[in-house]
Amino acid sequence: MAVRHFLSLLDYSLEDYRRILDRARELQANYTAGIRPATLQQRVLGMIFEKASTRTRLSFEAGMAQLGGTAIFLSPRDTQLGRGEPIEDSARVISRMVDAVMIRAKDHAMVEQFAAYSRVPVINALTDLNHPCQLLADIFAYEQHRGSIQGKRVAWIGDGFNMCYSYINAAQVFDFELVVATPPGYAPDPAAVAEAGDRVQLVSTAEAAAEGADLVVTDVWASMGQEDERERRLRDFAGFGIDDAVMVRAKSDALFMHCLPAHRGEEVTASVIDGPQSVIWDEAEARLHTQKALLEFLILGDVGGTPLSV
Ligand code: CP
Ligand code: NVA
């Protein structure tokens, strides 16, 4: 059987994600009750980080440990990856020693290339193109608070970058309406928008995107690797920050999400991100449960597996 990778949300069916999300809920309940099923005992996850991370590293590393396995952090700074060893050679070697590999890369093509030479599942843990693991968590957190996201209206306000693309993919897979507002010059690629069909529409103001929304989402204006553009971006994104005046356009029970880290006073005000509609802490916690279910799905070929001990 071909190795299953998770490079984009478009890689699996809604049915697969339903099973992963159901299992994530079960794992969350277990975790809360102090039950730690050792479904990944003696399994090893390699974790390659070309960029910084708090949530992604912690949730994968803690998740593997909680399921009885181990995770190994591989930084290009102190492995041969940073000294020019070809990706295909690295992939062949690393994938002979671990059960799955998680990669946070500057360039999406690096993850694709690694996956092409890997014997074991490769997980995209953020590239310039998308951040599918974050979307599993966002869908989980939305449904934890409001039930199915199908048919709901989601407002993406901010940069048409990696998180925005994953929302576009998610609209397609989970069948919700997505309204995207970006400043001129920061819109997502029209081909990706077109692929999602009429579920995705682009508007030109934050207020128009938020109108009638069930969920309002944003992300930083200068992503990792764009630090040099920060001053220009702060000017270009003026008017696209989420404040109470934007949130009031959404439904009264709308939720607010942000993948974090956040910059209060830039893309979102403190009153919104720390306010009653914000579910950012549940969203962050959901990374742990959803990725544990994803790891089982990819490594065991199914969710749940056979618990060796509880
Ligand atoms: N949201 C997210 O991926 O956070 P980290 O960059 O801290 O991993
Ligand atoms: N767009 C952000 C997401 C961080 C989780 C970045 O790429 O830095």
Side-chain angles (χ1 to χ4, degrees):
M1 196 177 101
V3 181
R4 301 166 164 227
H5 300 299
F6 182 60
L7 307 190
S8 152
L9 271 184
L10 300 180
D11 288 348
Y12 297 101
S13 66
L14 177 61
E15 192 183 32
D16 288 328
Y17 292 122
R18 281 281 150 237
R19 286 168 55 233
I20 291 169
L21 291 169
D22 285 351
R23 175 61 177 162
R25 271 188 289 278
E26 199 172 273
L27 287 166
Q28 182 185 39
N30 282 345
Y31 183 68
T32 309
I35 299 167
R36 308 283 165 95
T39 52
L40 296 182
Q41 205 165 54
Q42 294 180 17
R43 305 298 180 118
V44 180
L45 174 71
M47 305 194 303
I48 299 172
F49 281 95
E50 292 183 352
K51 293 179 175 181
S53 168
T54 297
R55 281 145 287 269
T56 304
R57 179 176 175 181
L58 261 171
S59 50
F60 273 111
E61 200 163 329
M64 281 302 291
Q66 289 163 13
L67 293 175
T70 299
I72 300 175
F73 178 74
L74 299 161
S75 159
R77 212 176 46 182
D78 44 37
T79 60
Q80 302 293 2
L81 280 162
R83 296 185 58 255
E85 182 164 13
I87 302 300
E88 49 270 44
D89 292 2
S90 303
R92 286 177 172 118
V93 172
I94 293 169
S95 71
R96 284 179 180 227
M97 301 189 191
V98 300
D99 298 283
V101 180
M102 180 239 82
I103 309 178
R104 170 165 285 192
K106 292 177 184 151
D107 183 0
H108 189 78
M110 181 274 189
V111 182
E112 287 184 326
Q113 197 181 358
F114 193 106
Y117 290 90
S118 175
R119 285 185 171 186
V120 300
V122 173
I123 299 169
N124 173 358
L126 182 143
T127 66
D128 51 340
L129 196 64
N130 53 31
H131 194 4
C133 292
Q134 183 67 51
L135 261 290
L136 289 183
D138 286 19
I139 303 296
F140 180 95
Y142 183 85
E143 296 193 341
Q144 181 183 356
H145 286 271
R146 294 285 183 269
S148 173
I149 198 162
Q150 186 183 16
K152 300 287 180 177
R153 185 178 164 102
V154 178
W156 171 270
I157 299 168
D159 195 5
F161 193 51
N162 46 16
M163 278 297 299
C164 180
Y165 284 111
S166 278
Y167 263 92
I168 292 170
N169 293 341
Q172 213 173 323
V173 174
F174 292 93
D175 191 23
F176 58 80
E177 191 188 343
L178 180 68
V179 189
V180 176
T182 63
Y186 294 93
D189 178 2
V193 175
E195 198 185 335
D198 57 9
R199 291 183 193 85
V200 181
Q201 55 166 307
L202 306 186
V203 296
S204 55
T205 65
E207 289 76 10
E211 200 66 51
D214 297 283
L215 171 64
V216 177
V217 194
T218 191
D219 185 16
V220 292
W221 290 341
S223 286
M224 289 181 277
Q226 298 170 339
E227 290 78 6
D228 293 351
E229 300 172 24
R230 188 174 149 74
E231 292 311 315
R232 175 166 59 79
R233 283 172 168 267
L234 286 183
R235 287 193 300 276
D236 291 350
F237 281 82
F240 284 82
I242 298 178
D243 57 15
D244 295 313
V246 171
M247 284 305 290
V248 87
R249 303 289 190 113
K251 289 197 179 131
S252 56
D253 67 345
L255 299 178
F256 170 79
M257 288 195 200
H258 189 311
C259 63
L260 304 176
H263 296 83
R264 288 169 176 76
E266 292 182 14
E267 74 273 9
V268 60
T269 57
S271 62
V272 171
I273 198 167
D274 300 319
Q277 289 170 279
S278 172
V279 292
I280 54 166
W281 310 128
D282 289 337
E283 180 187 7
E285 182 192 320
R287 297 291 303 275
L288 178 68
H289 312 303
T290 52
Q291 287 162 200
K292 283 160 83 170
L294 175 70
L295 286 163
E296 287 185 346
F297 176 78
L298 295 175
I299 295 174
L300 303 177
D302 202 351
V303 289
T306 307
L308 299 175
S309 64
V310 289

